[in-house]
Amino acid sequence: MKNLEKSRQEFVSNVSHELKTPLTSVKVLADSLLMQENVAPELYREFLVDIAEEIERESKIINDLLSLVKLDKTASDMNISSTNINDLLESVLKRLRPIAKKRNIELVFESFRPVVAEVDEVKLSLAISNLIENAIKYNVEDGWVRVSLNADHKYFYVKVADSGIGIPEDAQDFIFDRFYRVDKARSRGTGGTGLGLSITKNAIHMHKGAIKVYSKENEGTTFTVRVPLNYIA
């Protein structure tokens, strides 16, 4: 009970901090404009662009928090259906290709066999989407992201490998914790909220699956997801 209460307090403290940071920035920017007289229109525009970016960041944090709460609430409310996993991955990749193209990152999908499994399509899409989006965000210019799909008689496996910046070994045990960031400055720069991997882990565990990470700094990261073909209630 003590650990649970400590965890709850830490979470509330982190939420408060994360929500307060963009608001503080917005207030500072707005106050700076209000304190000056005869402000040039181009300066107004510059400050308003910054304010809009901070509001967008606040919105992302709130949306990720809502996703987490929804997953926690609906742990027993899985909308399971027979789903073509190849099509699901193709759909996620199609949505993320424009983001990869902006940074000239090659996005490759390799399927070793057709896979149909009993999953909650929305929750699994969210989990895989977070992994691929991270692989794009924390990559190097002109890098690559390779997504592969395979299966045996019991499980299907999704692997997301990238040529990115990697994760330090001492951070790898904490990356699935809520609000944990390996590099706070870099994460904020890429729009990260520190909640994506926690959402991913929750969604995969709800499918009675598992997720593992292998990474070396400056050599890239590989996430491997294993999910049963048949859902176990």
Side-chain angles (χ1 to χ4, degrees), residues 5 23 27 29 84 90 102 127-128 131 157 163 197 208 217 233:
E5 180 59 20
L23 285 176
K27 180 155 175 43
L29 288 162
N84 185 312
E90 289 276 16
K102 274 184 186 176
I128 302 299
L131 290 180
Y157 305 87
S163 59
L197 285 176
K208 307 296 190 288
E217 278 190 277

Side-chain angles (χ1 to χ4, degrees), residues 128 131-132 135 145-148 158-162 221-224:
I128 302 299
L131 290 180
I132 299 171
V145 175
R146 295 191 184 117
V147 181
S148 66
V158 177
K159 191 182 283 186
V160 179
D162 66 59
T221 300
T222 299
F223 282 95
T224 306

Side-chain angles (χ1 to χ4, degrees), residues 13 29 55 111 121 146 201 226:
S13 171
L29 288 162
I55 291 169
S111 173
E121 193 171 343
R146 295 191 184 117
K201 187 181 179 183
R226 186 193 73 193

Side-chain angles (χ1 to χ4, degrees), residues 131-183:
L131 290 180
I132 299 171
E133 198 169 349
N134 274 0
I136 295 167
K137 277 182 183 175
Y138 300 108
N139 215 313
V140 292
E141 295 294 327
D142 306 318
W144 51 262
V145 175
R146 295 191 184 117
V147 181
S148 66
L149 172 66
N150 207 344
D152 55 27
H153 66 288
K154 196 172 180 182
Y155 299 98
F156 70 87
Y157 305 87
V158 177
K159 191 182 283 186
V160 179
D162 66 59
S163 59
I165 59 174
I167 303 164
E169 198 174 337
D170 59 356
Q172 290 176 27
D173 288 341
F174 306 103
I175 56 170
F176 296 106
D177 292 354
R178 295 173 183 189
F179 289 115
Y180 182 80
R181 289 194 189 87
V182 177
D183 181 338

Side-chain angles (χ1 to χ4, degrees), residues 18-105:
E18 292 297 328
L19 291 174
K20 195 176 176 183
T21 304
L23 285 176
T24 303
S25 296
V26 168
K27 180 155 175 43
V28 169
L29 288 162
D31 285 348
S32 297
L33 283 177
L34 290 169
M35 285 165 67
Q36 298 179 57
E37 291 182 16
N38 304 318
V39 180
E42 55 269 23
L43 191 63
Y44 258 111
R45 178 167 181 77
E46 186 186 326
F47 275 46
L48 286 172
V49 165
D50 290 342
I51 287 170
E53 283 176 359
E54 290 298 329
I55 291 169
E56 177 66 22
R57 173 166 166 67
E58 187 89 351
S59 178
K60 277 184 182 177
I61 294 168
I62 291 165
N63 286 336
D64 275 359
L65 277 169
L66 289 173
S67 293
L68 264 179
V69 170
K70 205 172 178 185
L71 283 176
D72 286 346
K73 270 189 175 179
T74 59
S76 59
D77 184 24
M78 294 283 278
N79 187 18
I80 300 296
S81 63
S82 184
T83 302
N84 185 312
I85 306 300
N86 303 68
D87 289 350
L88 182 148
L89 289 175
E90 289 276 16
S91 174
V92 169
L93 286 164
K94 186 181 177 183
R95 188 167 53 78
L96 294 175
R97 275 189 201 285
I99 300 170
K101 198 174 179 181
K102 274 184 186 176
R103 299 191 58 212
N104 201 30
I105 289 168

